[in-house]
Amino acid sequence: MEASLTARDRVGIQDFVLLDNYTSESAFLDNLRKRSHENLIYTYIGTLLVSVNPYKELDIYSKKQMDTYMGVNFFELPPHIYALADNVFRTMQSEYNNHFILISGESGAGKTEASKKILQFYAVSCPSTKLLNNVRDRLLLSNPVLEAFGNAKTLKNDNSSRFGKYMDIQFDHQGGAVGGHILSYLLEKSRVVHQNHGERNFHIFYQLVEGGEEDLLRWLGLERNCQHYRYLVQGDCAKVSSINDKSDWKMVRKALSVIEFSESDIENLFAIIASVLHLGNVKFEADVRGYASLNNNQEMHWLLGIPTQVLQQGLTHRKIEAKTEEVLSPFSVDHAVYARDALAKAIYGRTFNWLVNKINESLANKDSSRKTVIGLLDIYGFEVFNVNSFEQFCINYCNEKLQQLFIQLTLKSEQEEYEMEGIEWEPVPYFNNKIICDLVEEKHRGIIALLDEECLRPGEATDLTLLEKMEEEIGGHPHFVTHKLADKKTRKTLERGDFRLLHYAGEVTYCVVGFLDKNNDLLYRNGKEVISFNFYCKKQVVTQFKSSLVGLTEILMSKEPWYVRCIKPNEAKQPGRFDDVLVRHQVKYLGLMEHLRVRRAGFAYRRKYDIFLQRYKPLCPDTWPNWRGTAAEGVQRLIKHLGYKPDEYKMGRTKIFIRHPRTLFATEDAFQICKHRLATRIQAKYKGYRVKGDYLKQREAATKIENCWRGLMARKEREKRAWASLILFLRFIKGFMTRNQPSCNDNSEYLAYVRTNYLTRLRDNLPRTVLEKDAWLTAPPILFNLLEIKYLYLLFCFPCFQLLLKEQTSSMFKGKKENYPFSVCKLTSELTFRLRPLFLSAVTSCVCVSLPQYSVPVVKYDRNGFRPRLRQLIFTQEAAYLVEETKIKQRIDYSSLKGMSVSNLSDNFLILHVTCDDIKQKGDLVLQCDYLFEALTKLCVIANKQNYIKVVQGSVRFDIQPGREGFVDFKSGQESMVYRAKNGHLMVVSPGQNISGSACSSDLV
Ligand SMILES: Nc1ncnc2c1ncn2[C@@H]1O[C@H](COP(=O)(O)OP(=O)(O)O)[C@@H](O)[C@H]1O
Ligand SMILES: [Mg+2]
């Protein structure tokens, strides 16, 4: 995008705003010439499009081209009429306001072509539905119909519009073309009866004669030969190579049916056209008195269905009202011809208006919802002929008005806007043509006022008296000259009956002859009887035209303007020829240099703060989604975030002004990207919302089903329970009644209940000792049997035994060994066998010898060298065994157990002292046991050696074998360690523990 904005185009530059020497007309012309030689017919001045007529078909209007320009930023692609059309459309869509495209330029410069291209673009680019396509077709096809009736071949253009056309295209809020309306201005009716050499009448006459079906022609009394009709041959060029009347006829017929003209409407329409041709052939002869007469004129037969007598009288006589009487005054032949032509013009003019109204009916959108509008104004360009008459005067006046509008809307309003916005402005000098508009249209003094006055005043008013009057009234005006008023030099260029206006576009000399008649445009009084409606217009033609122009100006002023300036490169309608003088002239009167100067001095883009903010606020986190402050502050924050440089923009009072298009487009592009992101988010939110809604509905439904199901199940359960409780109750009663009988089916449940009940109560009210037999709850009689007592024993005495053991341990170790308090909790264990898996079989084998009472894993230290070995210590009723896997390593009869030593520290070592008489016998056992207190207590109880335990301090001596002793030294340290000290003793280090500070101390301890 940047590239197309700043880089020079292949030939010349594509936007005059980027022209280095932008004040030079020659540089402007050079660029235009260069480009048009390369068939680059479009060039921008900002958003204004300059179009040079190529006079040949270019391959730039294809559907592909349309697609390329659709929805693309204006300056992104090479200039094109499609870019302008697309930009107008999108601005209308986004800002929801009305626009118009003013297409101006000389006759033959390409205005009508441009307006057609725009219409075609909308036909393709706008959304389409069946209904919209219908409207679209009518909009498109209204063109060939209007062109057939309103266009003609002139010297300048083979398809010259001989009327001004303003067309509104109405769009609904989605951008669909839903309707249209056409206004026509000042049809050049004089062409019906007269054409200059090399020119033709309106196309429709030739189309009808050349293309009309045989039947139709016969019915209309026409012959297929244009040469037969006087109204068609005055220009002497009924046939033109560039025009194919036959195919155009077909097109018009098709268009008429699409626009929904009824068959009878179409027939009548062509009957009127044929009548005009016949009328043209009506010949008058002078009778003996020199008056016009219409003897045996065959044409009369075909005319309008009017009684011949009435028509004849109407064409040859004039009705004069004298007081109460009406007198018929006969015409001379000249007068009669004049009356005939006037009638022909009037009929054609009315028919054209009727046609426009019919088309409007067909295009009208009856829906009252608000629509936006794009207006297309294709109006005759400035015209200068060798002899310029009333028509040129009106046309050029129209162009003056449009130039004035242009000045008001752009140049002037631009300056005023800058002033209003408080933005510094470098004044651009321009010629304000208001002075010429005033000269023409000023009340009482303007040319139009004088013309009307002259037409209406009593007495002999002629074109020359008009000229005199003008000289009298406006003789001193700087833009008005006549032969009489001119200086010597100028006088040579003027005829006596001429007046010259110095238009903004240049000088035009008008011949005053015919001004009054053309302005009156009236039929003689009884003309109205001829075609039964009132022809006599109360307003003069030029005044009507003036007021329709005022109306048009009002329509345009309420819309946003866009401009297409068409330039005609040569008079010869030849491709590739660029006539410098001709183009320079057009550049001047189209005001292009002034427009460029304004553009360069100013800013490419401006928008009200709120509109700008509304559009671009998603680009800044501070302004999105809502900005709380004023719009101007919001915009300031936004552009700061976007990084606009100070010279790229200016802040006005109500608008932001952006100097270069590139700044804007960077912003626009960022917005486009952002928009997609936002759309995705909104979409995601919406989808989430919808799915959540579905989910909630489903959940609600599921809950309902669940509730019903649960209710159903609960009701079933209740019934079941009610039934069950009845059964149970009956069984209970039966059980109670048979409670004293031996256990049987009837009472077993009841007895079980009684037993459970008793035992539960017993559990909560146990006697303190086994011996307190009286304190036991009295059991129900059924519980008094052996099994129950055993059961009770197991249930209650075993814990009591455990308590006895605890008491034993306490008496042996309490206050003597450091880690005793920590063992108290452990002692509650009811385990009898603490086994390493490996020792399981050993235990089993021991069991075979005699029943093991207790077993515990130990680490046994070799008497020589103190190597640790994993062993299991098993106590039976007679002896203790040290077992390795399945092997009994040492048996210690309790009778030979002479003592047991432990240290007072927190280690788990115990030394079992045995009596050994024989050297072959094994000596004392040095063991480490994690369940030291439990094991020792069990040993003491089983071996009945309660007083054999010695708690020693420092060191324990033991027998390795008879006569050889060893030592185990105990001491406190940081951490537990067992090692062979240098002195050959086994050193056992245990972490010191404070007996009195123990958290485990309790009453039981
Ligand atoms: N863009 C164009 N491409 C090709 N030919 C064109 C183009 N514009 C105008 N012409 C030619 O110029 C002729 C006159 O154009 P037209 O639009 O009728 O002029 P205007 O309406 O300004 O009097 C057309 O008939 C056509 O031959
Ligand atoms: Mg035209």
Side-chain angles (χ1 to χ4, degrees), residues 219-317:
W219 180 66
L220 296 173
L222 292 179
E223 284 179 49
R224 196 181 296 287
N225 186 350
C226 294
Q227 300 304 323
H228 284 196
Y229 301 100
R230 194 178 318 144
Y231 281 166
L232 302 187
V233 295
Q234 290 166 53
D236 204 15
C237 66
K239 281 237 154 74
V240 193
S241 62
S242 63
I243 300 171
N244 185 339
D245 291 314
K246 270 187 194 157
S247 63
D248 289 350
W249 165 260
K250 285 194 186 122
M251 179 63 151
V252 169
R253 285 301 307 243
K254 185 184 152 211
L256 284 173
S257 54
V258 170
I259 306 172
E260 285 184 337
F261 278 63
S262 67
E263 267 312 305
S264 73
D265 276 345
I266 296 175
E267 277 172 10
N268 290 337
L269 179 63
F270 292 126
I272 291 174
I273 297 301
S275 295
V276 173
L277 289 180
H278 287 301
L279 196 60
N281 283 359
V282 169
K283 287 195 202 90
F284 300 95
E285 284 166 15
D287 65 8
V288 281
R289 290 168 299 165
Y291 295 135
S293 75
L294 259 170
N295 292 330
N296 64 47
N297 214 318
Q298 287 178 3
E299 303 292 345
M300 303 296 285
H301 168 70
W302 297 104
L303 279 171
L304 303 164
I306 303 164
T308 320
Q309 195 59 34
V310 177
L311 187 61
Q312 238 172 14
Q313 200 187 60
L315 290 174
T316 53
H317 290 79

Side-chain angles (χ1 to χ4, degrees), residues 36-37 39 52-56 108 156 567-579 582:
S36 80
H37 278 156
N39 291 330
V52 179
N53 190 343
Y55 282 123
K56 65 177 174 192
K156 294 181 181 261
I567 288 179
K568 184 176 167 179
N570 63 69
E571 290 283 11
K573 305 175 204 168
Q574 274 185 3
R577 259 181 66 181
F578 192 91
D579 182 339
L582 187 73

Side-chain angles (χ1 to χ4, degrees), residues 601-662:
F603 294 80
Y605 174 92
R606 74 215 57 177
R607 277 292 177 274
K608 289 235 183 257
Y609 287 129
D610 47 352
I611 292 176
F612 188 83
L613 186 65
Q614 183 61 28
R615 184 169 185 78
Y616 296 117
K617 67 182 181 177
L619 293 176
C620 169
D622 291 347
T623 50
W624 177 257
N626 289 308
W627 172 253
R628 301 268 167 235
T630 65
E633 287 164 357
V635 170
Q636 188 79 59
R637 179 74 59 90
L638 175 65
I639 57 177
K640 193 172 167 214
H641 179 79
L642 293 174
Y644 278 23
K645 297 200 178 71
D647 61 336
E648 284 180 335
Y649 72 97
K650 279 227 156 38
M651 302 289 283
R653 288 196 183 97
T654 64
K655 288 180 184 174
I656 177 171
F657 289 73
I658 296 175
R659 194 176 295 281
H660 307 295
R662 59 173 177 267

Side-chain angles (χ1 to χ4, degrees), residues 350 456 522-523 525 528 533-538 540:
R350 295 271 161 151
L456 294 173
L522 55 84
L523 289 175
R525 289 282 155 97
K528 70 179 174 184
F533 51 73
N534 189 358
F535 261 70
Y536 186 76
C537 298
K538 290 186 180 71
Q540 310 311 112

Side-chain angles (χ1 to χ4, degrees), residues 748-764 777 780 782-783 788 791 795-796:
S748 62
E749 267 180 49
Y750 178 77
L751 295 182
Y753 165 72
V754 170
R755 190 182 305 127
T756 315
N757 192 18
Y758 169 72
L759 291 176
T760 315
R761 278 188 295 128
L762 187 63
R763 186 189 63 195
D764 300 334
L777 284 179
I782 50 164
L783 283 183
E788 297 298 344
Y791 181 70
L795 197 66
F796 303 113

Side-chain angles (χ1 to χ4, degrees), residues 847-971:
V847 167
C848 299
V849 180
S850 76
L851 197 68
Q853 302 279 313
Y854 179 77
S855 163
V856 69
V858 293
V859 177
K860 178 231 158 188
Y861 287 85
D862 285 354
R863 284 166 283 255
N864 295 308
F866 302 121
R867 283 187 59 199
R869 316 238 179 220
L870 294 179
R871 296 288 185 263
Q872 187 80 13
L873 189 60
I874 300 170
F875 303 145
T876 66
Q877 202 58 48
E878 295 83 27
Y881 293 88
L882 194 65
V883 178
E884 181 196 5
E885 300 194 4
T886 54
K887 253 167 63 196
I888 297 174
K889 298 295 280 188
Q890 191 171 351
R891 175 189 156 107
I892 304 135
D893 287 328
Y894 295 141
S895 55
S896 62
L897 182 65
K898 61 180 184 194
M900 294 162 261
S901 303
V902 292
S903 80
N904 63 334
L905 301 176
S906 60
D907 59 90
N908 294 327
F909 272 73
L910 73 134
I911 296 108
L912 300 182
H913 302 282
V914 293
T915 331
C916 62
D917 314 319
D918 193 342
I919 198 142
K920 284 175 198 154
Q921 261 184 297
K922 290 186 177 173
D924 295 347
L925 282 167
V926 179
L927 303 172
Q928 188 184 15
C929 176
D930 288 343
Y931 304 95
L932 185 73
F933 299 104
E934 184 184 279
L936 279 174
T937 310
K938 288 273 185 187
L939 183 58
C940 290
V941 172
I942 294 169
N944 199 18
K945 303 253 177 187
Q946 278 86 341
N947 301 324
Y948 279 54
I949 293 202
K950 246 195 267 166
V951 181
V952 294
Q953 282 187 8
S955 174
V956 176
R957 197 198 70 80
F958 69 93
D959 290 335
I960 299 172
Q961 59 188 94
R964 226 177 115 210
E965 60 180 16
F967 289 90
V968 183
D969 294 342
F970 296 97
K971 68 172 184 180

